[in-house]
Amino acid sequence: MTKIKETSTNFANKKALSDECPEIYASNTIGGQWALAICCYLINGKLRFGELRKKLNTITERMLTLQLRRLEQDRIITRTVYAEVPPRVEYELTEIGYKLKPIILEFEKWGKEHKEVMKNKNSEDNIQN
């Protein structure tokens, strides 16, 4: 996961849009497949790193670590380390992170509806051909 150069036009455009539009700011904060997927799993409660890794079976450990750090930096999740051997680390949504729950549930509802629309469209297209 590389950072955009702060001197690039892309960075300036993203920043300007983010400053002007709260929807873009929110999308930039939780955007990307992994951040949203992590939040989806954490809306049901705390999970350990290994549990998240199993649920997101196609993510690499490095990418999961980077995404968790970014979400922690953005105060979407908290990381709790327990002084045990072996060390136990749990991740949980913060208060502001839990406010994503209705949004995530609406995304789920919309996604199911859109999949159905596309499935029906593809069926219609196959019948016409």
Side-chain angles (χ1 to χ4, degrees), residues 93-109:
L93 291 172
T94 60
E95 184 179 338
I96 194 75
Y98 273 115
K99 290 185 178 187
L100 288 169
K101 187 171 185 169
I103 297 163
I104 289 170
L105 295 175
E106 281 299 314
F107 263 129
E108 178 184 26
K109 180 180 165 189

Side-chain angles (χ1 to χ4, degrees), residues 78-93:
T78 58
R79 177 180 184 259
T80 306
V81 180
Y82 296 92
E84 300 174 356
V85 177
R88 178 171 53 113
V89 179
E90 290 181 338
Y91 296 92
E92 181 178 23
L93 291 172

Side-chain angles (χ1 to χ4, degrees), residues 37-85:
I38 291 166
C39 291
C40 286
Y41 286 116
L42 290 176
I43 62 172
N44 297 316
K46 297 177 185 179
L47 288 173
R48 294 174 71 172
F49 183 90
E51 294 169 322
L52 279 168
R53 179 79 170 88
K54 285 178 187 170
K55 291 179 182 295
L56 300 164
N57 61 2
T58 57
I59 195 171
T60 64
E61 284 191 22
R62 182 178 188 284
M63 181 55 71
L64 179 56
T65 299
L66 290 171
Q67 291 295 314
L68 289 169
R69 284 182 187 159
R70 190 178 68 85
L71 287 168
E72 186 179 9
Q73 183 181 356
D74 289 340
R75 299 180 189 234
I76 306 294
I77 65 169
T78 58
R79 177 180 184 259
T80 306
V81 180
Y82 296 92
E84 300 174 356
V85 177

